[in-house]
């Protein structure tokens, strides 16, 4: 949007006054900051004063730029451009904050899943330790059974030696007892084998479960990495599109500004031509009414010649 020369000069004068007031305010704030000695409790007040000073300097700079553009081009597009740039910067900052929040939430979920996986692996380790402990106990029991078996065999041999001179009935009783002991030992051995097989099967199941959890964690980590790569690719594509849009917007803005300048030049030329024609017409009318110029001199010369002829 363009202004007339008078309007632009008026606005430039107002902006100059505002710039002077802002510069005075900035210098007063600087002097106040040099004179005052802020304590630790007044650090917030000092930060607020520094922020106010920087805002005053920034506004003064923008007003100076706008004043220069108004004086030179009778236009204030730089202010609109600055507003658009600040809006774009805010939008980009908001987009970055949203991306950071999403990434933080994903990392938190991943961290929580890792903690759960660690807890499960610790439980599996505890179960493996328990299985090892049980296997050790079974081995100890087997050793005890073997020792007991050896002791029983020794006792049986001693009893056989002692009862060699006993009757057949005693021998039959001893044989029965021996068979019973063998059956018990065989049963205990079968129970021991069954327990050993169960513990071995349970150990294999735990190992398989551990492998499954490891594969799941690897797959989850791969998926998270893939998602992060997709997010980075999308971010790069959006940034490229944004840069392309900025470039096209600048080109279109330059074309519009050049078109406005051409139209303004044509309008000024037309106004100057109309004013020149009006001035020429007014001047001709004045010259013709007052009898000035070359035509009036010629008419006066003719009138004088006719008067002399009549006198003769």
């Amino acid at each position: 949007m363009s202004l007339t020369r008078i309007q632009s000069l008026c606005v430039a004068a107002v902006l100059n006054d505002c710039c002077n007031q802002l510069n005075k305010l900035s210098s007063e704030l600087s002097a106040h900051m040099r004179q005052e000695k802020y304590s630790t409790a007044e650090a917030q007040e000092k930060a607020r004063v520094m922020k106010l000073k920087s805002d005053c300097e920034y506004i003064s700079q923008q007003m100076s730029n706008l004043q220069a553009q108004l004086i030179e081009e009778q236009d204030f597009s730089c202010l609109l451009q600055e507003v658009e740039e600040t809006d774009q910067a805010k939008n980009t900052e908001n987009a970055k904050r949203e991306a950071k929040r999403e990434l933080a939430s994903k990392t938190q979920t991943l961290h929580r899943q890792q903690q759960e996986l660690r807890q499960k692996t610790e439980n599996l380790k505890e179960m493996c330790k328990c299985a090892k402990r049980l296997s050790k106990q079974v081995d100890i029991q087997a050793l005890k059974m073997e020792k007991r078996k050896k002791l029983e065999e020794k006792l049986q041999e001693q009893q056989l030696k002692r009862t060699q001179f006993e009757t057949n009935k005693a021998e039959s009783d001893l044989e029965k007892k021996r068979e019973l002991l063998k059956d018990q030992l065989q049963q205990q051995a079968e129970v021991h084998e069954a327990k050993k097989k169960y513990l071995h099967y349970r150990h294999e199941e735990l190992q398989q479960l551990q492998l499954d959890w490891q594969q799941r964690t690897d797959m989850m980590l791969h998926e998270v990495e893939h998602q992060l790569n997709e997010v980075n690719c999308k971010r790069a594509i959006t940034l490229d599109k944004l840069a392309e849009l900025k470039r096209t917007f600048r080109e279109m803005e330059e074309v519009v500004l050049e078109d406005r300048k051409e139209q303004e030049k044509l309008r000024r030329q037309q106004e100057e031509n109309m004013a020149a024609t009006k001035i020429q017409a007014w001047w001709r009318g004045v010259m013709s009414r007052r009898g000035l110029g070359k035509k009036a001199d010629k008419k006066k010369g003719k009138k004088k010649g006719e008067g002399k002829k009549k006198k003769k």
Side-chain angles (χ1 to χ4, degrees):
M1 182 177 178
S2 59
L3 302 173
T4 61
R5 183 69 178 174
I6 296 170
Q7 289 176 349
S8 63
L9 290 173
C10 291
V11 175
V14 173
L15 289 173
N16 190 11
D17 190 8
C18 292
C19 288
N20 293 328
Q21 294 294 328
L22 288 170
N23 290 326
K24 288 180 182 179
L25 181 59
S26 179
S27 62
E28 288 176 0
L29 290 171
S30 298
H32 182 69
M33 289 173 67
R34 286 195 298 271
Q35 290 176 1
E36 291 290 334
K37 293 182 179 179
Y38 295 96
S39 61
T40 56
E42 295 176 346
Q44 294 181 354
E45 183 67 21
K46 183 178 179 181
R48 190 179 66 81
V49 173
M50 291 176 69
K51 180 69 169 57
L52 183 61
K53 182 178 177 295
S54 63
D55 291 336
C56 291
E57 290 175 354
Y58 176 75
I59 294 168
S60 176
Q61 183 66 31
Q62 295 299 323
M63 284 185 176
S64 299
N65 295 331
L66 182 60
Q67 181 184 359
Q69 189 176 12
L70 285 170
I71 292 170
E72 292 176 359
E73 299 178 359
Q74 290 84 41
D75 195 2
F76 51 91
S77 61
C78 65
L79 181 62
L80 299 174
Q81 186 177 1
E82 185 67 22
V83 171
E84 289 176 357
E85 288 178 356
T86 52
D87 291 335
Q88 288 177 359
K90 287 180 181 178
N91 292 326
T92 52
E93 287 179 357
N94 292 326
K96 287 180 181 178
R97 287 174 185 171
E98 290 295 329
K100 286 181 180 178
R101 287 175 185 170
E102 291 178 359
L103 185 61
S105 63
K106 288 181 180 179
T107 51
Q108 286 178 1
T109 54
L110 181 61
H111 185 65
R112 188 172 62 254
Q113 290 174 359
Q114 287 178 353
Q115 287 180 353
E116 291 176 355
L117 182 61
R118 287 174 185 170
Q119 188 174 2
K120 288 179 180 179
T121 52
E122 287 176 358
N123 292 329
L124 287 172
K125 288 179 181 178
E126 290 293 330
M127 292 176 75
C128 291
K129 289 179 181 179
C130 183
K132 289 180 181 179
R133 198 181 300 115
L134 289 172
S135 64
K136 287 180 181 179
Q137 290 178 1
V138 169
D139 294 333
I140 291 167
Q141 287 180 0
L143 291 171
K144 287 181 179 179
M145 291 294 293
E146 288 178 359
K147 289 180 180 180
R148 188 181 294 173
K149 187 176 179 181
K150 289 179 180 180
L151 290 171
E152 286 177 354
E153 287 177 355
K154 287 180 180 180
L155 289 171
Q156 287 174 3
E157 289 176 359
Q158 288 176 2
Q159 286 176 2
L160 286 169
K161 287 179 180 179
R162 289 175 184 176
T163 58
Q164 283 178 358
F165 300 102
E166 291 181 358
T167 61
N168 293 325
K169 188 177 180 180
E171 289 180 356
S172 63
D173 292 334
L174 287 171
E175 288 178 357
K176 288 179 181 179
K177 288 180 180 179
R178 191 180 293 172
E179 288 177 356
L180 287 172
L181 287 171
K182 285 182 179 179
D183 292 333
Q184 288 178 358
L185 289 171
Q186 190 175 1
Q187 288 177 359
Q188 288 178 357
E190 289 176 355
V191 170
H192 174 68
E193 289 292 331
K195 287 182 179 179
K196 195 171 181 180
K197 287 180 181 179
Y198 174 74
L199 290 172
H200 183 68
Y201 177 71
R202 186 64 179 168
H203 182 66
E204 288 180 352
E205 282 185 351
L206 291 173
Q207 284 183 348
Q208 187 65 33
L209 186 62
Q210 186 177 5
L211 289 172
D212 293 336
W213 280 111
Q214 256 181 349
Q215 289 177 358
R216 288 181 183 176
T217 52
D218 293 334
M219 289 174 66
M220 289 169 69
L221 288 171
H222 183 69
E223 289 178 357
V224 170
E225 287 178 356
H226 182 66
Q227 289 177 1
L228 288 173
N229 291 325
E230 287 182 352
V231 169
N232 290 324
C233 291
K234 288 180 181 179
R235 183 172 177 273
I237 291 166
T238 51
L239 289 173
D240 292 334
K241 288 182 180 179
L242 183 61
E244 185 67 24
L245 289 171
K246 284 182 179 179
R247 187 177 63 79
T248 52
F249 178 74
R250 287 173 184 170
E251 289 177 357
M252 292 173 69
E253 189 176 9
E254 288 176 358
V255 170
V256 170
L257 290 172
E258 288 178 358
D259 191 11
R260 285 181 180 175
K261 288 179 181 179
E262 291 292 331
Q263 289 180 0
E264 184 66 22
K265 286 181 181 179
L266 290 172
R267 188 177 62 80
R268 287 179 181 175
Q269 287 178 0
Q270 288 177 0
E271 288 180 356
E272 288 176 358
N273 291 328
M274 289 175 68
T277 52
K278 287 180 181 180
I279 291 167
Q280 287 176 0
W282 173 76
W283 181 251
R284 287 173 185 171
V286 171
M287 295 290 286
S288 63
R289 283 195 297 273
R290 294 186 180 180
L292 301 173
K294 294 180 180 179
K295 292 181 180 180
D297 293 336
K298 289 179 181 180
K299 288 180 181 180
K300 286 181 180 180
K302 288 179 181 179
K303 287 181 181 180
K304 287 180 181 179
E306 289 176 358
K308 286 179 181 178
K309 288 179 181 180
K310 288 179 181 180
K311 286 180 181 180
K312 288 179 181 179

